[in-house]
Amino acid sequence: MSNLDRQATPSVCGGRGFVVAEPVRELLSPRRVPLGESTEVRRLLPNLGRRMVGAWAFVDHYGPDDIADEPGMQVPPHPHMGLQTVSWLHEGEVLHRDSTGALATIRPRELGLMTSGRAISHSEESPRPHARFLHGAQLWVALPGEHRGIEPHFQHHTELPEVTAPGLSAMVVLGTLDGAVSPGTTYTPLVGADLTLARGAEARLPLEADFEYAVLSMSGEAHVDGVPVLPGSMLYLGCGRSELPLRADSDASLLLLGGEPFEEEIVMFWNWIGRSHEEIAEAREDWMTGTRFGEVKGYDGPPLPAPELPATPLKSRGRVR
């Protein structure tokens, strides 16, 4: 999924200088951003106060939207570099095409994982016909320096491992949780898990003390470490936790995101993650001139033009403003 904001602004993040080393409860409110003709997303990362959680650098939550009489998701071809995209659905379907020739329909609780490496382009759209409701999250993972230049590739996994406890099911989307390992390829130590809580459930989820964590509420009424987290909001939890208390006042769904704090400082502009202004400027030139990022075949429409770069050169600095 693309950042379609035509007033795109640079995000500077990464490095360990602003990692919260102890447990905290920092509630993050979303910024509403239009996505295509009929979809609006709630952007949790990058956030006004916090830029990353481990290697997780971008989090959008959308829906549930009634798209029965709408085109649904329509994201034209656009480029990526230096990151992985994670498509995660609770309702609906998304048709993925990319410049490697990959074509896949991603359905609820299936992992669509695209690794951009040095350069890729892709499109995403609701199939025709499509389900009435669309509800999901789109996430990006920053690639570390030694893997930024790898060949682009796409993975689609329809079966994922689960960790269970009374009233709790945790599907491991990416990385490792309590010994269960997702089949998706990762390049830094991290975890992404879809948590399903039954009404009245109380559980304690095992965590890695060296990871920093956040929890995104997808639906329902749940308390995370005693804090009520409403759908579309995210609770940043810091580091230093060996377990996470959870309680559900109704049937609820959460996304747990975590990982080792990302050491490198990065620059994120539009749909690219780089390390310098020059690298981002080169990517923009390559996209606008039709080189390097390849071609998405089969999408009915032109590719997205890149926004103009800001007048002030982009600089990588830290994880928060």
Side-chain angles (χ1 to χ4, degrees), residues 56 86 88 109-111 157 159-164 169-184 186 190-195 205 255-256:
W56 300 97
V86 177
W88 189 251
R109 291 180 169 84
E110 297 179 353
L111 172 61
H157 297 286
E159 296 185 6
L160 298 168
E162 293 186 63
V163 174
T164 60
S169 174
M171 181 173 287
V172 186
V173 180
L174 206 60
T176 303
L177 178 67
D178 196 27
V181 183
S182 165
T186 58
L190 54 74
V191 64
D194 187 271
L195 312 180
L205 193 67
L255 273 182
L256 173 73

Side-chain angles (χ1 to χ4, degrees), residues 5-284:
D5 190 348
R6 301 307 301 165
Q7 304 298 318
T9 56
S11 298
V12 290
C13 39
R16 291 179 177 264
F18 293 92
V19 175
V20 180
E22 65 274 350
V24 296
R25 301 174 186 86
E26 182 182 308
L27 194 61
L28 305 179
S29 297
R31 178 170 64 94
R32 295 183 179 273
V33 179
L35 184 73
E37 298 177 3
S38 57
T39 303
E40 182 182 75
V41 302
R42 292 167 287 279
R43 184 150 300 160
L44 282 309
L45 285 181
N47 193 282
L48 185 62
R50 185 152 301 278
R51 297 301 195 181
M52 297 184 76
V53 177
W56 300 97
F58 182 95
V59 177
D60 274 353
H61 174 242
Y62 54 91
D65 295 324
D66 187 340
I67 59 169
D69 299 317
E70 303 287 344
M73 183 181 294
Q74 297 294 323
V75 183
H78 58 278
H80 287 288
M81 75 172 186
L83 57 90
Q84 294 177 287
T85 66
V86 177
S87 298
W88 189 251
L89 291 169
H90 277 192
E91 294 181 271
E93 308 89 23
V94 171
L95 178 62
H96 166 97
R97 292 182 172 93
D98 69 43
S99 55
T100 71
L103 175 66
T105 300
I106 303 165
R107 297 179 173 85
R109 291 180 169 84
E110 297 179 353
L111 172 61
L113 177 64
M114 186 181 76
T115 301
S116 69
R118 57 180 178 77
I120 199 171
S121 57
H122 75 142
S123 65
E124 292 179 296
E125 59 186 308
S126 296
R128 302 173 189 175
H130 54 66
R132 177 175 180 178
F133 292 102
L134 181 64
H135 182 204
Q138 183 72 20
L139 312 105
W140 297 355
V141 179
L143 289 172
E146 64 269 29
H147 297 294
R148 291 195 300 139
I150 62 176
E151 287 298 307
H153 58 275
F154 177 77
Q155 296 174 274
H156 182 203
H157 297 286
T158 59
E159 296 185 6
L160 298 168
E162 293 186 63
V163 174
T164 60
L168 168 68
S169 174
M171 181 173 287
V172 186
V173 180
L174 206 60
T176 303
L177 178 67
D178 196 27
V181 183
S182 165
T185 303
T186 58
Y187 297 90
T188 58
L190 54 74
V191 64
D194 187 271
L195 312 180
T196 301
L197 291 163
R199 180 176 182 173
E202 294 191 29
R204 290 182 175 268
L205 193 67
L207 300 181
E208 299 286 341
D210 291 340
F211 282 17
E212 61 176 342
Y213 289 96
V215 171
L216 166 67
S217 174
M218 297 288 288
S219 61
E221 301 177 18
H223 287 70
V224 179
D225 196 16
V227 179
V229 185
L230 299 177
S233 61
M234 187 163 73
L235 185 68
Y236 176 71
L237 297 163
C239 298
R241 296 174 180 270
S242 60
E243 61 180 14
L244 182 63
L246 302 168
R247 188 181 89 241
D249 295 334
S250 69
D251 291 347
S253 294
L254 307 167
L255 273 182
L256 173 73
L257 305 174
E260 285 190 358
F262 198 74
E263 291 188 357
E264 300 173 56
E265 294 184 345
I266 65 177
V267 175
M268 186 162 64
F269 179 76
W270 198 43
N271 295 298
W272 301 300
I273 290 181
R275 298 299 185 273
S276 67
H277 176 91
E278 291 74 20
E279 188 178 346
I280 298 294
E282 181 181 6
R284 185 185 185 281

